[in-house]
Amino acid sequence: YEEIAKTYLEQGQWDRALEAARSVIQSAPADASAHTLYADICFAAGRREEGLERLKEALRWSHQPNEIRARLADAYLEESQLKLAREVIEEAFWEETEPDSKLALIRRLTTLYLQEGRLSELVERFEKRQSAEADGWRLVCTWRRFIGKHRISHALVRSCRSRCWCDPMIRSCCAN
């Protein structure tokens, strides 16, 4: 049924594609890819709310939840729902364990907080949580270096340097 659903999707036959995708979900209700297929069809058919709900269901079953969170955040952004997109990306950030992936999520969060005019709130949240994570200051410093490179706020970068410079373990993260 999955291939049938994809074929109908390509042909723009939304009702038939959704019917086939429902069959895929019925045969494997705990398969995140079945739910994302259904969501893709919903989005193509202009059924945004149903697509969002299906992505949330996919998140429940996914072995790679941050991939689903990224799709969900993108769908919220298409609807100009910055707050919901930000909340999903924050959840992904705190669940992520890979440093490079965390940094990519920091970039997305920075952009969203900046669009909402709430960048100082993001700084405060990072500083509160930094002590709870290993290498917490390194994460904050890396984020602030990113901000500084994009000329968002030089004061944030200077603040980071003044706090971190005395610790030789993290001094290098604040250099330039």
Side-chain angles (χ1 to χ4, degrees):
Y1 287 107
E2 185 175 344
E3 291 304 316
I4 293 170
K6 289 178 181 179
T7 300
Y8 284 136
L9 173 61
E10 290 172 6
Q11 295 172 351
Q13 296 182 31
W14 315 130
D15 291 334
R16 288 184 172 182
L18 287 170
E19 185 179 319
R22 272 188 217 101
S23 296
V24 174
I25 291 171
Q26 286 174 350
S27 66
D31 182 359
S33 65
H35 294 281
T36 57
L37 173 62
Y38 194 94
D40 290 340
I41 297 166
C42 288
F43 291 132
R47 298 165 74 168
R48 310 284 306 158
E49 288 302 314
E50 192 175 353
L52 290 170
E53 290 305 314
R54 198 48 57 184
L55 280 179
K56 291 175 190 175
E57 187 65 21
L59 182 58
R60 181 175 164 212
W61 299 108
S62 179
H63 296 291
Q64 298 174 320
N66 278 354
E67 288 180 17
I68 304 297
R69 286 183 183 107
R71 292 183 67 178
L72 187 57
D74 290 341
Y76 284 137
L77 288 173
E78 287 177 19
E79 297 287 316
S80 298
Q81 296 180 15
L82 297 179
K83 181 179 185 275
L84 293 174
R86 179 179 43 82
E87 289 171 357
V88 169
I89 295 170
E90 282 179 1
E91 185 179 336
F93 175 81
W94 296 116
E95 295 296 321
E96 185 58 61
T97 57
E98 286 294 316
D100 289 340
S101 297
K102 265 188 144 17
L103 186 56
L105 290 164
I106 287 172
R107 289 181 181 120
R108 289 193 77 182
L109 280 173
T110 301
T111 301
L112 289 171
Y113 271 92
L114 191 60
Q115 288 174 346
E116 290 182 292
R118 300 171 62 197
L119 194 58
S120 61
E121 181 182 327
L122 182 61
V123 173
E124 290 172 21
R125 293 183 77 181
F126 274 176
E127 288 177 345
K128 285 179 185 174
R129 299 256 333 229
Q130 65 80 25
S131 62
E133 285 193 17
D135 277 349
W137 271 115
R138 187 177 310 277
L139 179 63
V140 172
C141 291
T142 301
W143 175 76
R144 287 184 171 177
R145 284 179 59 204
F146 167 77
I147 296 248
K149 285 180 183 177
H150 290 76
R151 301 181 189 272
I152 295 170
S153 173
H154 293 291
L156 292 176
V157 176
R158 284 192 302 275
S159 171
C160 173
R161 286 185 182 138
S162 67
R163 289 182 181 169
C164 298
W165 205 253
C166 61
D167 186 337
M169 294 297 292
I170 58 177
R171 184 179 297 152
S172 65
C173 81
C174 296
N176 292 353

